[in-house]
Amino acid sequence: MNPDCLFCKIAAKELPATVVYEDDAMVAFKDIKPVAPVHVLIVPRKHAPSVAELAPGDTLLVGEMIRRAQQLAEELGIADRGYRLVFNVRKHAGQVVDHIHLHLIGGQALGRMA
Ligand code: AMP
Ligand code: ZN
C-alpha cells in the first residue's frame, strides 16, 4: 500500500469506485471516464508503478489479471464480439495513474491502433 497512490486507496476502500470484481490479489472497477460502453480497470492490490517495474515473481499475477479480464468480458457480455486489453506504460503511452492496471475496453467497434 502506497499512501499517496489513488489505486491503492481504491483497493483499500479508502476511496469509492464501482467495483465489479475483487479477490485477495486484485480489484476491478469501472473507469471513471469510460472510452467505450464497457471500460473496466483490473488492478492488483500490490503496488507497482507500471509493467516496466514488474519482476519475475509477478508472472503469475499478470496472468491472473489477463484471465480475470477474459472472465469479466464474458460476464459483461462483450466476449463474443471482442474487446481490447491495454497496459499503458509510462509517459509516451499516456499513463496517468502510476499503479499498474489493465484496461478492459469493449461494447462497440474500436478504432484500429497505430
Ligand atoms: P492510464 O492512462 O492507463 O494511467 O489510465 C488511468 C485510468 O484511470 C484513466 O482511464 C482514468 O479515467 C481512470 N481513473 C482515474 N481516476 C479514477 C477513479 N477515481 N476511478 C476510476 N477510474 C479512474
Ligand atoms: Zn498503488
Side-chain angles (χ1 to χ4, degrees), residues 6-7 30-33 41 88 94-97 101 103:
L6 178 66
F7 285 177
K30 292 187 179 178
D31 196 294
I32 205 166
K33 211 176 153 193
L41 302 173
N88 288 322
Q95 186 180 0
V96 294
V97 178
H101 52 279
H103 294 254

Side-chain angles (χ1 to χ4, degrees), residues 2 5 7-8 47 99:
N2 178 336
C5 172
F7 285 177
C8 280
H47 181 86
H99 178 130

Side-chain angles (χ1 to χ4, degrees), residues 83-100:
Y83 50 90
R84 181 168 290 154
L85 299 180
V86 176
F87 284 105
N88 288 322
V89 183
R90 296 182 173 170
K91 280 197 188 116
H92 275 188
Q95 186 180 0
V96 294
V97 178
D98 290 333
H99 178 130
I100 189 168

